[in-house]
Amino acid sequence: MKIICIGRNYAKHAEELNNPIPEEPVVFLKPETALLLKKHPFFIPEHSNEVHHEVELVIKINRLGKHIEPRFAHKYYTEVGLGIDFTARDLQAKAKQAGKPWTLAKGFDGFAPLSPFSAKPPALSVEDMADYQLQFQVNGGTRQSEKLSQMLFNASELIQYLSSVFTLQPGDLIFTGTPSGVSQVVPGDRCLAELKDSDGSTTHRLEIVIE
């Protein structure tokens, strides 16, 4: 099982971190141990003094696929969920300055909490969820809020690109990128991630208390 993550997939998020708008998807991986186990607390690692939240739509691949055309991409997943790509921003900044990979900043145990997944209608794709909105609150205050339509590379384009490099396998997870508003969390913060449909109803919910 691979945890494949997309960076800078919302223009405003790239801009807030002073990064250029990418011309192709920015891809990195998290280890499987980054998944936060059920009922386990989320701890700030001792290696970092600046951990940021990044709320994202997550796609779970359900079929083996290679070189998948965009028009067939929706057939390679039946479930979507909500995830948080926690990031040790101070370690990431050091890695960037040194031209090194981001793995250490992204890969701590528990740095990829997930909501329960839910089924989508088989004929639909994430592009049909364009008006769905990602939201992230800390202690009741909204920090991130953006529609999925603002992705620079939509789900079908991501699946096409990724499957041209990796063979996608059942159980692989694709974190599709985060909107602007990322910021630091500290012990005691109560975090709420939500995905809302076009009517404003919550379809996915993920609560995290920072230890």
Side-chain angles (χ1 to χ4, degrees):
M1 189 266 278
K2 300 184 286 295
I3 304 175
I4 307 169
C5 303
I6 306 300
R8 306 173 190 172
N9 202 23
Y10 290 78
K12 291 181 181 178
H13 172 57
E15 291 168 357
E16 74 180 345
L17 296 182
N18 297 314
N19 293 315
I21 305 300
E23 296 183 1
E24 61 183 22
V26 176
V27 180
F28 60 94
L29 302 176
K30 284 178 179 271
E32 188 173 347
T33 49
L35 295 176
L36 183 65
L37 300 178
K38 290 182 179 180
K39 299 183 179 180
H40 279 226
F42 177 83
F43 290 100
I44 301 289
E46 62 182 16
H47 303 74
S48 175
N49 294 312
E50 189 183 0
V51 171
H52 284 203
H53 58 79
E54 298 188 7
V55 64
E56 310 197 10
L57 179 78
V58 181
I59 296 168
K60 182 188 287 187
I61 297 297
N62 74 321
R63 294 175 59 186
L64 191 72
K66 182 71 174 176
H67 297 296
I68 301 166
E69 296 181 31
R71 62 193 174 115
F72 298 127
H74 69 279
K75 296 184 177 182
Y76 286 81
Y77 60 97
T78 58
E79 295 181 298
V80 296
L82 194 62
I84 305 171
D85 169 21
F86 279 112
T87 304
R89 194 70 73 202
D90 48 355
L91 300 187
Q92 186 186 40
K94 290 179 181 178
K96 287 180 179 180
Q97 290 172 0
K100 295 180 179 179
W102 303 349
T103 305
L104 295 182
K106 297 283 192 174
F108 287 101
D109 289 356
F111 261 39
L114 289 173
S115 74
F117 283 83
S118 65
K120 67 170 185 66
L124 296 183
S125 66
V126 168
E127 288 78 82
D128 298 301
M129 300 165 60
D131 287 337
Y132 281 48
Q133 191 149 21
L134 287 170
Q135 290 191 352
F136 194 88
Q137 294 183 344
V138 178
N139 301 324
T142 300
R143 294 192 181 178
Q144 293 184 270
S145 182
E146 189 61 89
K147 290 184 177 181
L148 298 180
S149 61
Q150 295 305 301
M151 287 185 191
L152 296 173
F153 304 99
N154 65 36
S156 295
E157 291 168 334
L158 292 176
I159 288 172
Q160 176 195 31
Y161 183 83
L162 293 171
S163 69
S164 73
V165 180
F166 310 114
T167 296
L168 296 180
Q169 299 172 302
D172 285 352
L173 303 175
I174 302 175
F175 279 64
T176 58
T178 195
S180 62
V182 301
S183 57
Q184 186 174 6
V185 291
V186 297
D189 281 347
R190 305 187 70 87
C191 304
L192 173 62
E194 292 181 292
L195 181 66
K196 295 181 179 291
D197 65 19
S198 55
D199 295 323
S201 299
T202 298
T203 63
H204 297 76
R205 180 183 177 96
L206 176 59
E207 294 185 80
I208 300 289
V209 177
I210 308 299
E211 302 288 347

